[in-house]
Amino acid sequence: MTEQTAHILVVEDEAALAELIRYNLASQGLRVSIAPTGEEAEMLVAEEPFDLIILDWMLPGMSGLELCRRLRKREATQAIPVIMLTARGEEADRVRGLSTGADDYVVKPFSVPEILARVKALLRRAAPQRIADTLQRGDIVLDRAAHRVTRRAREVRLGPTEFKLLVFFMENAGRVLTRQQLLDGVWGRDAFIDGRTVDVHVGRLRKALIRGTDTDPIRTVRGTGYAFSTDAV
Ligand code: CA
């Protein structure tokens, strides 16, 4: 992933939050620029193409909503996926954000895995060639396009949910993930399932991954959730 890396613009006036997002996207191999105001974002967007924009609603000067409206009016920018960051939880505001042309929204405070999952889902739709088709962690290799997982030479057979679960684990390797984060990231926020369903699917994934004598890359974190790691297991 060098010249093909997706370029993401983060429009956020809170410097620490912008940096947190930048750091985490960069660690996934994505290129990130930051604009602290809508006005600066407009200038950057006029200068170079972006594959995705993460846009804070509440900005000094031009609001995120207004910037989104402007982006949608121009031919050069109307197709760029936009994720709106909002501190407002009201349904009406969310709907307003989406009707202005945002593709998705994330409510503050959000978790890093949540925003990563949304960024990747949108990029996969809008610019599939810009994100890596293959994930590798330790001896586990996952091919997104072919929907295929191998561990050393062995093919690991997974159902569709276990496959999505493994993608999410591999993208967030080394992190402790709560059942809620797994639910949001794999099933989506509006799914009507509970933590026990997550446990069932994690159990199946585990069984498929460790068949034979392979080590278990999934660690149960008591009272919290799970962590995936292929380091020193
Ligand atoms: Ca703000």
Side-chain angles (χ1 to χ4, degrees):
M1 286 184 82
T2 46
E3 60 207 341
Q4 283 223 312
T5 301
H7 193 185
I8 296 174
L9 176 62
V10 177
V11 190
E12 168 62 77
D13 57 308
E14 286 166 61
L17 183 56
E19 178 52 28
L20 174 78
I21 297 172
R22 191 203 61 75
Y23 174 82
N24 282 285
L25 293 178
S27 75
Q28 302 286 313
L30 299 164
R31 201 149 69 86
V32 182
S33 297
I34 294 175
T37 64
E39 288 79 1
E40 279 184 59
E42 272 203 308
M43 285 195 292
L44 286 178
V45 165
E47 280 164 14
E48 56 180 320
F50 286 93
D51 296 294
L52 185 140
I53 299 176
I54 297 175
L55 179 53
D56 186 28
W57 182 309
M58 301 297 270
L59 293 167
M62 190 197 304
S63 74
L65 215 55
E66 175 57 23
L67 177 60
C68 190
R69 237 178 246 130
R70 292 188 187 205
L71 292 169
R72 288 300 176 249
K73 273 193 202 140
R74 268 175 233 139
E75 202 179 355
T77 56
Q78 66 188 189
I80 304 176
V82 172
I83 297 176
M84 199 78 124
L85 298 183
T86 170
R88 311 172 176 204
E90 292 91 19
E91 207 56 41
D93 282 337
R94 296 181 186 191
V95 171
R96 199 147 70 92
L98 291 176
S99 69
T100 310
D103 298 270
D104 203 354
Y105 62 87
V106 173
V107 180
K108 290 180 181 177
F110 50 81
S111 68
V112 167
E114 179 181 4
I115 197 149
L116 285 180
R118 301 210 173 210
V119 164
K120 296 215 164 169
L122 272 181
L123 281 179
R124 213 166 285 137
R125 229 161 67 198
Q129 74 285 5
R130 300 296 195 97
I131 73 164
D133 264 353
T134 307
L135 287 172
Q136 176 158 17
R137 299 283 182 270
D139 56 8
I140 300 171
V141 180
L142 180 148
D143 184 332
R144 279 181 215 275
H147 256 249
R148 190 159 178 262
V149 178
T150 52
R151 192 161 191 194
R152 281 177 226 123
R154 174 172 75 86
E155 174 141 15
V156 179
R157 292 187 184 282
L158 299 175
T161 303
E162 286 70 36
F163 183 83
K164 282 204 266 179
L165 195 53
L166 181 59
V167 169
F168 195 69
F169 270 131
M170 290 176 83
E171 285 178 342
N172 291 287
R175 258 184 237 285
V176 174
L177 299 166
T178 64
R179 286 180 179 79
Q180 191 59 49
Q181 286 171 339
L182 289 164
L183 259 171
D184 291 345
V186 176
W187 283 266
R189 218 179 249 241
D190 304 321
F192 291 101
I193 65 158
D194 62 15
R196 269 168 308 183
T197 310
V198 175
D199 295 337
V200 169
H201 287 281
V202 169
R204 283 188 200 150
L205 172 60
R206 223 175 206 161
K207 207 169 150 201
L209 287 174
I210 65 180
R211 225 182 54 193
T213 54
D214 282 331
T215 49
D216 187 353
I218 300 172
R219 182 166 56 90
T220 303
V221 183
R222 198 177 279 273
T224 307
Y226 299 95
F228 176 95
S229 173
T230 49
D231 302 334
V233 285

